[in-house]
Amino acid sequence: MSKQGQSSGSYSGIFPKKGWAERSYRFWRHRIIPQMFRQPEGETLHANPEAPADGKTRVTWIGHASFLVQFDSHSVIFDPNWATWMGPVKRQQHPGLHLDTLPEVDLVCVSHAHFDHMHRASLRAIQSRHGIMVPKGSGSLVRKLGFKRVTEMAIWEEQILDGVDVIHTPSHHWGARFGHDTHRDYGGFIVKTPRNNVYHAGDSAYFEGFKEIGKRYPIDIALMPIGAYEAPSGRDVHLNPEEALQAYLDLGAKKLIPMHYATFPLGNEEPSEPEERLLKEADRLGVLDQILILDPGEGVEI
């Protein structure tokens, strides 16, 4: 695979843009150093092992990009991360669920190899009947974590496991874990059951690929990133709230649940800004009733 990443998708590159030194100074001065001395907010709850009501999907936000999604007969966990620290970045909200109370899931899906999405210590603690799915080039990072099966997926590839259809979708991002390993792919996932489906966008900036995803597949629930858009590097790597809503409309989804904010401070924006901007734009567009804001540990049945 080339450094430009995917056979279908969009590569952000890895080099910072002009002005990165000033942005990085502000990031350390106003985000990293102050948050080191704050205690995480919220509480950690016990996971609900029961299946949701017949025909419903229960979505529980754990924090950051981590979700437990329970269908009436299957369950999936996306990008599980229970870390307190990501390098110098301290978690600002407690994980919504106790890791040791998670039920065994059918599948784990990890969108890409970045440390805040592929947290190996968390993955090692999760039991999964059908193993883990990762983008092409990242299988070597998870093969020794105890999963029965490791599946690497190419963009637009589909896998059917015990009645669950999983599709790996494109994004506008990059997949290197250490900077030099740019061969690693990246993207999102659609998980479909006979009655419901959920789309987890992974990490992405806005790109035309959201329209293509929406053309190919119906989406009931879209889990969309809305934070870290004021990246110190200045690169175009994350959706801002307005772009997340546009991507959601491109997808033609029925409900939007935001993620990738209020957990790890990864951008120069104020912590409360992503949610405020999302709700303001949703109100302007007349889709406020389609937005579901969750607290970590809160499960909603749709």
Side-chain angles (χ1 to χ4, degrees), residues 145-162:
L145 300 182
F147 291 104
K148 298 175 183 177
R149 177 179 178 182
V150 174
T151 304
E152 291 192 5
M153 296 187 71
I155 294 301
W156 298 125
E157 182 178 350
E158 296 189 35
Q159 293 274 344
I160 299 177
L161 298 173
D162 190 27

Side-chain angles (χ1 to χ4, degrees), residues 111-138:
S111 61
H112 60 299
H114 292 172
F115 284 87
D116 57 321
H117 292 258
M118 182 183 283
H119 186 245
R120 287 161 52 88
S122 298
L123 290 169
R124 191 177 284 112
I126 294 174
Q127 300 297 314
S128 171
R129 296 180 185 91
H130 298 295
I132 184 171
M133 289 188 170
V134 297
K136 285 285 187 184
S138 290

